[in-house]
Structures are given as C-alpha cells and as structure tokens.
Amino acid sequence: MLDSSLAQEIAAIDGVELDSEVTFADLTTLHIGGKPRLAVRCRTTAAVVAVVKLLDDASLPLLIVGGGSNLVVADGDLDVVAVIIEADAVSVNFAESTITAEAGAQWDDVVAFSVESGLGGIECLSGIPGSAGATPVQNVGAYGTEVSDVLTQVQLYDRHSGEVSWVPASELELAYRYSNLKFTNRAVVLAITMQLLPDGLSAPLRYGELARRLAVSASEWQPRRPIRLVRDMVLELRRGKGMVVDAGDHDTWSAGSFFTNPIVDPAVATSVFEKVGEPTMPRYPAGEDKEKLSAAWLIERAGFAKGHPGPGAKAALSNKHTLALTNRGEASATDLLRLAQEIRAGVHDAFGVTLVPEPVWIGMSIDD
Ligand SMILES: Cc1cc2nc3c(=O)[nH]c(=O)nc-3n(C[C@H](O)[C@H](O)[C@H](O)COP(=O)(O)OP(=O)(O)OC[C@H]3O[C@@H](n4cnc5c(N)ncnc54)[C@H](O)[C@@H]3O)c2cc1C
C-alpha cells in the first residue's frame, strides 16, 4: 500500500477509484503477475493527469495500464502503482473523416465504430486487444496496416513538463513495433485522432493471405474491399490463429506475438537460408542494407512446434500460433520466463539470431 495520506489525496480526485485487491493476473491477457502497491482506476483523462502528477511528485514508480495485452509481469509484490485508464469516449467528425478516441477506449470497439461509421483505414487492425491509447506506443500493426498509416495526432501528458498538448504523430518516430514512447515512460497518451477514408472501402490490401481470401487477383492495382467484409475476414483469420482474446481458450492467454520479427544484415539472412535450404524462406527488404526475417518461421525451423513443450506444461507455445507464448491456466511468471529463454536460446543456437521480446516486462526480464 501507499502512505495513507497520499492514498487519500488520490482517492479524493474526481473520477478516481482505488482498487487494493486487483493483481496483474487480473489485469493482463497472460493472466500472470503479482500485486501492485495500489491500483488506481481513472474514468477521465483529467483524473489520469492528476494521479500521474501526484505520483511523479512523490517519486513513486507507476505503470500506465490499458488492456494489459502487452505486459509480462513478475509474480509477488511489485513496487509499482498501476494507473488504469478507463476514459473511453469515442467521437467521429464526418466532415473531416476523423475519429478521436480517449486512451481507455477498447481498440477493437474503436475499429467496430469506424466500420459502423463507414470510415475505412483501420479494418485490418480488427481484433487487436488492448486500448486505443496504447496503439501508438508500439505502433500496432497487422495484416499490412499499422496505426501510423492513419494516426494524425495524439494528446499527451508530458511527465517532465507537466503539460497536456496535442502532438503530431510525426513526432513519435513511429516505426515497426516502435515509437519514442515505448519503454521510456516519458508521456501518457490521453487520446488519439485518426484520419480515415470516407468511401466505405478498406485501405489498399497489402497482406497476401488476406488478399487471397478476399479473392484479390494478382493484376489488381491497390485492391480495396468493403470495410465490413475486410473486418470480418481479419477476425476470422485472427481467430484461427488464437489472436482474438477468448477467456475460454488458453491459446489466447498470451501477449500476442512474443518476439518481434528480427531485422538482420543480409549476410545473416543468407546464412539462415543456407542452413535451412528452403526456397520459400520468408525474408523481406527492411531499409538500408537490412532484411526482416519471420520470428515464427525461425522458431519452427529451430525445432519448436506449436504447443511446445506439450500437454501438461504450464506455459507453452500456442497450439494455433508458434509466436504466441501462452499460459495454460496456472503458469507463473517464472514458467513463462523459462519458456521464453528456451525459445530464444534455441533460435540463437540454430541460426545465430537473437530474438527480441515484443511486450513490456515489469519486475523481471528475459535476461534474468
Ligand atoms: C491475443 C493478442 C493478439 C495481439 N495481436 C497484436 C497484433 O496483431 N499487432 C500488434 O501490434 N499487437 C498485438 N498484440 C499486442 C497488444 O495487443 C498491443 O500492443 C496493444 O496495443 C496493447 O494495448 P494495451 O492497452 O493492452 O497495453 P498494455 O498492455 O496495458 O500496456 C503496454 C505498454 O503500453 C503502455 N501504455 C498503455 N497505455 C498507455 C497510454 N495511454 N499512454 C502511455 N503508455 C501506455 C504501458 O505502460 C505498457 O508499457 C496482441 C496481444 C494479444 C494478447
């Protein structure tokens, strides 16, 4: 717990509710993690600002929590206050084809709202769990689209200057699963605005599997499809891979893709290619003199099958997707950590490539 006068001061803020019972196992999609010193639920963005300011002034470590879908948290008591954002208003400006969402809005509700509003551009990001406010943090992406394609501005609370302002998305250095907000804790996203397409059609489809399922022909230039059709197909594809959260399905008790796709020198990509000898090995240009490999493919070729290490394990690879590390119901943080270390070491031994975890770790690290 906190010093009781500070806790009282926080509790007195409008739109705040203290929760001294909740654990990170309750707050995360991995269903793993111990107890924060205190959890503070904030129903308005003004409450978020006031709470973060008080905690920062008292030099108390805090963690902003949205949907907990990109968090790997240690067991036991954690020296951190969880600030849970629950401000979730979403509005549309039809004249400008923009949608603005408060940080605590569930991302998939925002996507559904955009589809109902006839605005295209984020349908390929359907089914990604978590909050709208977290989407810029690691520039979420799926099926050929990234939030950076549509994000115009974010409302930030700058924890150093204490100011709230709207900042152009271009200042976030958005790149593959990266922004300058990730791992820095320098600012809190209070709201986001996206520029969408008004004609009821999707953004051009760039992802092969999705395009094939939507009967796109190879000769079609910048193929687009009705947004509802694309959303439904993306959700279907994601469900097949265990990538839509479902409390009853342990294959979805994960943090999504556990490792990022490694970006390596071409010589490393060629050495992997020569070791495996598969002409269809996935490798893509990734900027100047770099190539992107598929982490899932590397894990499989290093000898880890879906479901590894098998029935009975508390933590295992998803039975539907090699890149998701899952809690089979009773896994501890250590069970998950050991599995992550085994996979990373196996890929390194096989190919000399070091996989980098995608989620944010709290209270432990893959190097422990
Ligand atoms: C089944 C599954 C599928 C997934 N599929 C994808 C996918 O296809 N593509 C993809 O990119 N990701 C995917 N993810 C990862 C995850 O859903 C995203 O990273 C998501 O944006 C995390 O949102 P969250 O609200 O749950 O963040 P949290 O897990 O609550 O937080 C993650 C990090 O962001 C910070 N943060 C959260 N909100 C804010 C805020 N408002 N301001 C500042 N910092 C903040 C937290 O402090 C923490 O450091 C998947 C996860 C799961 C479980």
Side-chain angles (χ1 to χ4, degrees):
M1 260 309 259
L2 296 187
D3 168 68
S4 69
S5 66
L6 181 61
Q8 276 171 16
E9 219 178 321
I10 294 173
I13 296 169
D14 235 13
V16 160
E17 194 188 320
L18 303 191
D19 187 339
S20 54
E21 294 305 314
V22 77
T23 67
F24 281 105
D26 303 320
L27 293 172
T28 61
T29 51
L30 268 166
H31 301 274
I32 288 176
K35 212 160 183 304
R37 283 178 78 167
L38 180 67
V40 185
R41 297 183 182 276
C42 302
R43 283 191 302 277
T44 65
T45 56
V48 175
V49 170
V51 169
V52 171
K53 185 166 181 356
L54 267 181
L55 291 168
D56 280 346
D57 287 350
S59 301
L60 284 172
L62 66 89
L63 176 71
I64 302 294
V65 179
S69 61
N70 212 25
L71 288 175
V72 177
V73 185
D75 297 317
D77 289 336
L78 291 137
D79 183 22
V80 70
V81 178
V83 178
I84 306 167
I85 305 189
E86 295 182 342
D88 62 357
V90 182
S91 60
V92 57
N93 179 331
F94 284 109
E96 293 180 3
S97 306
T98 58
I99 284 184
T100 296
E102 286 186 328
Q106 277 195 36
W107 171 251
D108 194 51
D109 289 349
V110 178
V111 180
F113 178 71
S114 75
V115 170
E116 280 154 26
S117 304
L119 297 176
I122 50 176
E123 53 290 328
C124 285
L125 304 178
S126 293
I128 298 180
S131 61
T135 57
V137 175
Q138 70 150 356
N139 185 23
V140 298
Y143 294 96
T145 301
E146 291 181 332
V147 79
S148 57
D149 298 340
V150 293
L151 194 71
T152 55
Q153 55 174 359
V154 293
Q155 189 184 38
L156 290 186
Y157 170 62
D158 183 315
R159 291 175 62 187
H160 298 295
S161 70
E163 278 171 22
V164 173
S165 61
W166 282 95
V167 171
S170 55
E171 288 184 17
L172 300 180
E173 299 176 90
L174 296 159
Y176 168 65
R177 294 305 167 274
Y178 174 79
S179 79
N180 57 25
L181 298 169
K182 196 171 180 183
F183 302 127
T184 64
N185 296 324
R186 70 177 180 86
V188 183
V189 178
L190 301 175
I192 65 171
T193 298
M194 298 170 292
Q195 177 66 61
L196 302 172
L197 305 162
D199 62 3
L201 295 178
S202 68
L205 299 169
R206 291 188 277 250
Y207 193 84
E209 184 188 21
L210 178 64
R212 278 192 298 280
R213 292 290 293 272
L214 292 167
V216 167
S217 76
S219 60
E220 239 178 296
W221 165 248
Q222 300 218 321
R224 301 174 67 202
R225 292 291 182 272
I227 42 183
R228 187 170 297 280
L229 194 68
V230 176
R231 172 170 166 79
D232 289 349
M233 184 54 72
V234 167
L235 287 172
E236 186 181 320
L237 288 169
R238 289 185 70 97
R239 284 202 184 93
K241 295 173 187 171
M243 284 291 166
V244 177
V245 169
D246 172 353
D249 179 359
H250 286 146
D251 281 332
T252 74
W253 287 30
S254 76
S257 300
F258 199 87
F259 297 103
T260 51
N261 289 323
I263 296 183
V264 299
D265 291 335
V268 174
T270 300
S271 125
V272 174
F273 176 74
E274 282 166 357
K275 277 183 190 147
V276 179
E278 276 181 36
T280 56
M281 168 181 143
R283 57 191 289 192
Y284 311 97
E288 217 170 284
D289 215 18
K290 292 282 178 197
E291 290 189 33
K292 183 152 84 175
L293 304 181
S294 156
W297 185 91
L298 290 168
I299 292 169
E300 278 167 19
R301 297 309 180 276
F304 300 105
K306 292 188 180 86
H308 173 88
K314 289 185 175 170
L317 295 184
S318 160
N319 293 301
K320 302 189 179 87
H321 198 312
T322 332
L323 199 46
L325 274 63
T326 62
N327 171 4
R328 309 313 296 175
E330 290 177 1
S332 66
T334 308
D335 294 327
L336 190 86
L337 172 66
R338 296 289 170 253
L339 178 65
Q341 289 171 332
E342 182 195 359
I343 302 294
R344 185 177 71 161
V347 169
H348 187 266
D349 291 350
F351 303 119
V353 175
T354 304
L355 294 179
V356 176
E358 186 186 295
V360 173
W361 295 60
I362 305 296
M364 63 178 193
S365 117
I366 193 166
D367 298 315
D368 287 350

